[in-house]
């Protein structure tokens, strides 16, 4: 057994030591030995367990009344299993002998004071602290893993301007529920703590990323004092007479990021203050991992649908809001309308923010990730969404403005997938950027670093820089399905659209017109579109870009062709970048089985839009319901669609992130 520390014995006077119950103390039986002694034996109080540590190849355990030899490197380790009632009330006696049959030459005495000093947290991930459970110092992933979890205290339980993590004083007892409990055991004779102190400590880097509150019970906020945090990394514990346990609450102050793995450690030390130079008696430590920010894919049930009320040269978007209301009602989902006063006529609410959540065994709550785009909606998440049990996080770009790719229409997440032998039970984050090893636009490093650091949804970077706006939601979406697979990946497909139009031409509908039903848009026949060499060339280029992403998605998400549905869609090039020729149908809002799809205004054949009919035929057999909504004037003409102009908060995963193995 490994020893915790050594205590030297003396023949001239008894030795005294403090030990922690359950912790080994090495007794040095060799430093002061009577002349002529060849063997020894050890005895002690019933509350003290005595262990002899030796090499069986060099010495055998003595039989009967025989003693241990002094020349065989036998170590003596003692462990107290009961807290002392008084100072020095436990005894260990070492007797030395010249031979097996003679009386003892001398005795050494050791008087022990046993205390219970332990720092305990929820290592078992049950939501409750259990004393002495598991390995407290190491944090392990997986269903059989262990280690405590911290939530970033990024909600706002009391009305104010900032998240609770900025407060060094407790402002609400409800805030304690966002923190992880920690218990310091400090049982022992009160007289011992007159000459010994307990010191709670974090490293300087860790102290900037956590806060620790000491709880003295009661309902008064003054009973809860922050003792560790950015301003102080060490705290001498105020133990009251007779006190056996002291309750603490620990909060996270920072999410994992490029310079922070998410692991944080705290220690408590028992220090003897009597010598001129203080002596460390014992240290216990615990390790937490800060819970990551987790995105939810379209396959998770919707809870709230957000949309903005705006006015422009076409008037107000009241009809669009009405359509969203009907869709939300069908999906049994709450509609939240952001008024013009709060959005400052910025309609792109998907670009402004992304809903996710954080989860710990004792608590979970939604957290909105505010993008660095900072346009009209820049204050909405902080001022209107942040609140009790609704957190907020953001990343700002230093020394430069945000690009279009920093908007969160360029941020998506797949449903759970398996890639070979690797499971991604929370899916994988998808972001758009430039073509590998080429110059071009990318999402800002500060945002990419944050997403990668969360670990549990390993990001995949796709190629979206070929688009004018440059967002992944312009060419892909995921929808839930009622079959065993559980979802499909939808990809925009110029080839599928041209093939559909060719079929309609061959059926005799070549003069049916795209944009039929739109007043302020030039109508173009199927024949005209198929004969347009520029449009066909642009479509071929776009198809190559999407096909490149298709292969990446198949490889990184473990998909087969049967998991992908090609949605007919045409694009045209404006300069070097592509834009949707008609409303981009994959840029839809997904509310369970109900899909709010941009109305494409395709050629009318037998009284029905052939594009809508094609999409219905592809998706409705999968258990989905297609609802086509006119977004042409208020969204499509401004290079966005329904997904860009809406946002959905979804139900968190039932799967707990700590059971994964990144």
């Amino acid at each position: 057994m490994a020893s915790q520390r050594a205590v030297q014995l003396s023949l001239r006077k008894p030795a005294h030591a403090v030990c922690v119950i359950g912790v080994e103390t090495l007794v040095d039986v060799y430093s002061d030995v009577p002349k002529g002694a060849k063997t020894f034996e050890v005895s002690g109080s019933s509350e003290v367990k005595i262990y002899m540590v030796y090499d069986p190849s060099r010495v055998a355990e003595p039989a009967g009344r025989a003693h241990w030899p002094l020349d065989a490197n036998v170590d003596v380790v003692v462990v107290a299993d009961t807290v002392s009632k008084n100072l020095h009330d436990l005894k260990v006696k070492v007797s030395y002998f010249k031979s097996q049959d003679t009386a003892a030459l001398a005795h050494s005495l050791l008087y022990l004071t046993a205390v219970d000093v332990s720092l305990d947290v929820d290592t078992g991930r049950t939501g409750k602290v259990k004393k002495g459970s598991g390995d407290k110092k190491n944090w392990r992933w997986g269903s059989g893993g262990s280690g405590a979890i911290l939530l970033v205290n990024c909600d706002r339980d009391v009305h104010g301007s900032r998240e609770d993590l900025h407060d060094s004083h407790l402002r609400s007892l409800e805030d304690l529920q966002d923190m992880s409990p920690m218990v310091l055991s400090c049982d022992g004779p009160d007289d011992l703590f007159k000459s010994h102190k307990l010191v709670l400590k974090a490293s300087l880097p860790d102290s900037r990323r956590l806060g620790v509150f000491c709880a003295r019970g009661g309902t008064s906020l003054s009973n809860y004092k922050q003792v560790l945090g950015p301003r102080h990394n060490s705290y001498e514990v105020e133990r009251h007479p007779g006190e056996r346990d002291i309750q603490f609450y620990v909060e996270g102050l920072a999410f994992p990021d490029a310079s922070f793995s998410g692991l944080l450690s705290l220690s408590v030390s028992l220090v003897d203050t009597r010598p001129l130079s203080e002596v460390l008696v014992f240290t216990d430590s615990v390790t937490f991992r800060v819970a990551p920010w987790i995105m939810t894919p379209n396959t998770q049930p919707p809870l709230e649908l957000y949309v903005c009320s705006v006015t422009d040269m076409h008037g107000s978007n009241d009809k669009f809001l009405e359509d969203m209301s009907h869709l939300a009602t069908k999906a049994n989902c709450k509609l939240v309308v952001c008024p013009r006063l709060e959005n400052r006529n910025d309609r792109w609410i998907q670009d402004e923010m992304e809903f996710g959540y954080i989860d710990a065994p004792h608590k979970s709550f939604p957290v909105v990730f505010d993008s660095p785009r900072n346009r009209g909606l820049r204050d909405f998440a902080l001022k209107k969404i942040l609140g009790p049990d609704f957190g907020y996080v953001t990343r700002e770009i230093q020394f430069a403005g945000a690009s279009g790719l920093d908007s969160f229409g360029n941020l998506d997440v797949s449903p759970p997938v398996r890639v070979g032998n690797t499971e991604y039970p929370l899916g994988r984050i998808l972001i758009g950027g430039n073509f590998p090893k080429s110059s071009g636009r990318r999402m800002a490093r500060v945002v990419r670093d944050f997403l990668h650091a969360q670990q549990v949804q390993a990001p995949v970077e796709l190629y979206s820089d070929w688009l004018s706006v440059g967002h992944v939601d312009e060419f892909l979406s995921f929808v839930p399905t009622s079959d065993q697979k559980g979802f499909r990946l939808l990809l925009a497909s110029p080839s599928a659209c041209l093939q559909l139009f060719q079929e309609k031409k061959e059926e005799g509908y070549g003069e049916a017109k795209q944009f039929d039903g739109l007043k302020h848009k030039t109508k173009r026949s199927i024949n005209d579109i198929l004969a347009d060499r520029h449009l066909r060339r642009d479509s071929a280029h776009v198809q190559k870009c999407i096909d490149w992403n298709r292969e990446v998605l198949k490889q990184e998400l473990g998909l087969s062709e049967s998991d992908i549905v090609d949605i007919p869609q045409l694009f045209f090039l404006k300069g070097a970048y592509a834009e949707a020729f008609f409303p981009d149908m994959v840029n839809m809002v997904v509310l369970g089985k109900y899909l709010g799809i941009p109305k494409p205004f395709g050629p009318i054949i037998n009284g029905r839009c052939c594009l809508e009919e094609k999409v219905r035929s592809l998706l409705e057999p999968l258990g989905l319901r297609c609802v086509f909504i006119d977004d042409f004037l208020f969204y499509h003409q401004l290079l966005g669609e329904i997904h860009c102009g809406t946002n959905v908060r979804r139900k968190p995963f039932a799967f707990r992130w700590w059971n994964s193995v990144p």
Side-chain angles (χ1 to χ4, degrees):
M1 290 185 292
S3 60
Q4 190 268 328
R5 67 190 191 102
V7 177
Q8 284 191 345
L9 300 185
S10 171
L11 297 171
R12 295 181 299 277
K13 61 178 182 178
H16 297 84
V18 175
C19 67
V20 174
I21 62 169
V23 177
E24 300 167 357
T25 298
L26 176 64
V27 180
D28 181 0
V29 299
Y30 301 102
S31 59
D32 193 3
V33 178
K35 187 175 181 179
K38 303 293 185 183
T39 62
F40 72 98
E41 71 174 7
V42 185
S43 61
S45 304
S46 60
E47 298 89 349
V48 179
K49 289 183 170 62
I50 301 170
Y51 301 95
M52 313 305 288
V53 184
Y54 59 94
D55 182 355
S57 66
R58 297 186 58 186
V59 63
E61 182 175 353
R65 297 174 61 86
H67 311 138
W68 290 92
L70 279 165
D71 60 357
N73 292 325
V74 177
D75 286 336
V76 178
V77 173
V78 298
V79 179
D81 59 10
T82 303
V83 173
S84 291
K85 294 181 174 61
N86 301 292
L87 290 176
H88 320 311
D89 62 354
L90 303 179
K91 184 173 75 170
V92 175
K93 181 172 122 176
V94 179
S95 302
Y96 296 93
F97 304 87
K98 185 174 183 179
S99 67
Q100 297 288 356
D101 300 326
T102 59
L105 294 174
H107 305 280
S108 294
L109 291 175
L110 168 62
Y111 290 100
L112 293 171
T113 304
V115 296
D116 180 12
V117 174
S118 175
L119 202 56
D120 290 288
V121 291
D122 179 20
T123 55
R125 302 166 183 169
T126 63
K128 296 181 180 179
V129 176
K130 186 176 179 182
K131 184 175 172 60
S133 61
D135 182 357
K136 299 184 287 187
K137 295 182 182 179
N138 298 300
W139 204 96
R140 292 190 296 273
W141 294 91
S143 57
S146 63
I149 294 164
L150 280 187
L151 295 176
V152 176
N153 195 4
C154 59
D155 70 339
R156 184 174 62 200
D157 288 309
V158 176
H159 182 72
S161 60
R162 309 178 78 186
E163 309 95 291
D164 290 339
L165 59 86
H166 295 289
D167 295 327
S168 59
H169 299 281
L170 194 70
R171 300 178 65 198
S172 165
L173 292 179
E174 286 72 23
D175 200 22
L176 295 173
Q177 298 173 18
D178 302 335
M179 304 183 195
S180 297
M182 180 173 72
V183 177
L184 170 60
S185 300
C186 53
D187 193 10
D190 289 338
D191 286 343
L192 176 85
F193 292 99
K194 294 176 182 178
S195 59
H196 291 70
K197 66 180 180 180
L198 293 164
V199 179
L200 191 65
K201 190 172 184 179
S203 68
L204 277 173
D206 285 3
S207 69
R208 299 186 188 106
R209 294 168 175 144
L210 58 76
V212 179
F213 287 81
C214 181
R216 291 299 183 184
T219 58
S220 172
L221 295 178
S222 62
N223 291 325
Y224 300 86
K225 172 186 174 185
Q226 190 184 72
V227 295
L228 291 183
R231 296 192 183 104
H232 27 255
N233 75 312
S234 181
Y235 166 64
E236 183 176 334
V237 178
E238 299 172 7
R239 180 189 179 274
H240 298 163
E243 200 162 28
R244 295 181 176 182
D245 297 305
I246 301 176
Q247 179 80 42
F248 293 89
Y249 291 91
V250 189
E251 63 178 346
L253 304 182
F255 280 96
D257 216 323
S259 59
F260 173 40
S261 69
L263 292 175
L264 296 168
S265 294
L266 288 169
S267 67
V268 65
S269 297
L270 179 65
V271 179
D272 187 345
T273 60
R274 292 172 299 179
L276 292 176
S277 178
E278 294 181 343
V279 175
L280 176 65
V281 176
F282 171 74
T283 296
D284 195 20
S285 62
V286 296
T287 298
F288 294 91
R289 183 177 289 279
V290 174
W293 178 77
I294 300 172
M295 290 180 63
T296 50
N298 285 351
T299 48
Q300 290 300 110
L303 299 175
E304 293 179 319
L305 172 64
Y306 286 73
V307 64
C308 292
S309 172
V310 295
T311 301
D312 59 19
M313 60 183 291
H314 303 293
S316 70
N317 66 338
D318 289 347
K319 178 61 170 63
F320 182 79
L321 298 181
E322 183 181 331
D323 291 338
M324 288 296 105
S325 177
H326 290 156
L327 186 68
T329 300
K330 287 177 182 286
N332 194 27
C333 174
K334 179 183 177 182
L335 179 69
V336 180
V337 177
C338 174
R340 285 184 284 273
L341 187 64
E342 294 171 4
N343 65 51
R344 289 177 284 193
N345 236 34
D346 179 4
R347 67 202 70 198
W348 310 117
I349 197 165
Q350 175 60 51
D351 287 343
E352 182 59 37
M353 62 190 189
E354 183 68 47
F355 288 112
Y357 69 97
I358 56 177
D359 185 24
H362 64 282
K363 180 78 178 282
S364 66
F365 56 80
V367 176
V368 61
F369 185 11
D370 196 359
S371 83
R373 74 188 276 269
N374 290 341
R375 289 164 63 177
L377 279 160
R378 63 181 176 269
D379 297 327
F380 179 68
L382 184 63
K383 292 185 176 180
K384 297 299 178 180
I385 295 181
L386 171 64
D389 289 342
F390 210 130
Y392 172 90
V393 64
T394 190
R395 287 295 180 269
E396 294 294 339
I397 302 170
Q398 301 295 324
F399 313 119
S403 79
L405 271 66
D406 299 319
S407 297
F408 286 169
N410 195 33
L411 173 62
D412 209 333
V413 65
S414 79
V417 292
R418 180 187 179 95
V419 184
N421 293 324
T422 304
E423 297 275 359
Y424 296 95
L426 300 171
R428 299 191 70 179
I429 286 172
L430 306 175
I431 59 174
N434 59 342
F435 194 77
K437 298 181 181 179
S438 70
S439 60
R441 298 171 295 171
R442 291 185 78 186
M443 181 176 280
R445 176 172 290 279
V446 68
V447 179
R448 286 185 281 125
D449 285 348
F450 174 83
L451 297 172
H452 279 277
Q454 308 313 304
Q455 296 193 65
V456 295
Q457 295 177 304
V460 177
E461 188 163 1
L462 300 173
Y463 173 37
S464 65
D465 191 33
W466 54 274
L467 288 151
S468 289
V469 176
H471 294 176
V472 293
D473 69 352
E474 297 177 77
F475 66 88
L476 68 81
S477 184
F478 293 92
V479 293
T481 59
S482 55
D483 59 8
Q484 185 175 359
K485 181 67 179 181
F487 73 90
R488 293 292 188 278
L489 166 64
L490 309 186
L491 288 178
S493 175
S495 295
C497 188
L498 291 173
Q499 180 181 342
L500 174 66
F501 283 180
Q502 183 64 37
E503 292 171 358
K504 297 307 174 185
K505 176 183 177 180
E506 292 172 1
E507 292 171 7
Y509 300 110
E511 290 306 311
K513 292 179 172 53
Q514 178 67 40
F515 305 121
D516 201 357
L518 281 174
K519 296 179 180 178
H520 307 294
K521 182 70 177 176
T522 302
K523 299 166 182 58
R524 297 188 64 180
S525 69
I526 290 177
N527 289 335
D528 182 34
I529 290 171
L530 291 173
D532 189 333
R533 288 180 298 170
H534 294 293
L535 187 58
R536 294 184 74 99
R537 179 197 63 202
D538 294 352
S539 295
H541 167 75
V542 168
Q543 190 65 58
K544 287 181 180 178
C545 296
I546 294 174
D547 286 346
W548 187 90
N549 285 298
R550 186 191 201 96
E551 294 307 311
V552 172
L553 288 161
K554 286 165 64 177
Q555 178 178 338
E556 297 295 338
L557 301 183
L559 304 179
S560 63
E561 280 296 323
S562 62
D563 302 323
I564 302 172
V565 178
D566 291 306
I567 301 298
Q569 185 65 49
L570 291 181
F571 295 83
F572 68 96
L573 292 183
K574 193 169 185 179
Y577 299 101
E579 298 176 5
F581 179 67
F582 54 79
D584 188 352
M585 290 187 285
V586 297
N587 195 284
M588 64 180 69
V589 63
V590 179
L591 302 179
K593 68 180 181 180
Y594 294 96
L595 311 180
I597 305 174
K599 185 175 180 62
F601 292 97
I604 303 298
I605 296 173
N606 296 326
R608 294 179 178 271
C609 168
C610 67
L611 288 170
E612 291 185 18
E613 289 300 292
K614 180 63 176 178
V615 171
R616 289 186 196 277
S617 72
L618 293 169
L619 300 182
E620 295 200 342
L622 298 173
L624 300 166
R625 296 292 178 265
C626 300
V627 180
F628 292 91
I629 296 171
D630 180 3
D631 74 344
F632 196 90
L633 292 178
F634 287 95
Y635 297 90
H636 173 72
Q637 289 201 145
L638 299 176
L639 305 186
E641 309 287 357
I642 292 177
H643 186 262
C644 308
T646 58
N647 211 314
V648 182
R649 182 170 74 87
R650 302 182 183 276
K651 186 177 179 180
F653 285 102
F655 181 87
R656 314 305 290 269
W657 62 267
W658 52 86
N659 291 323
S660 66
V661 182

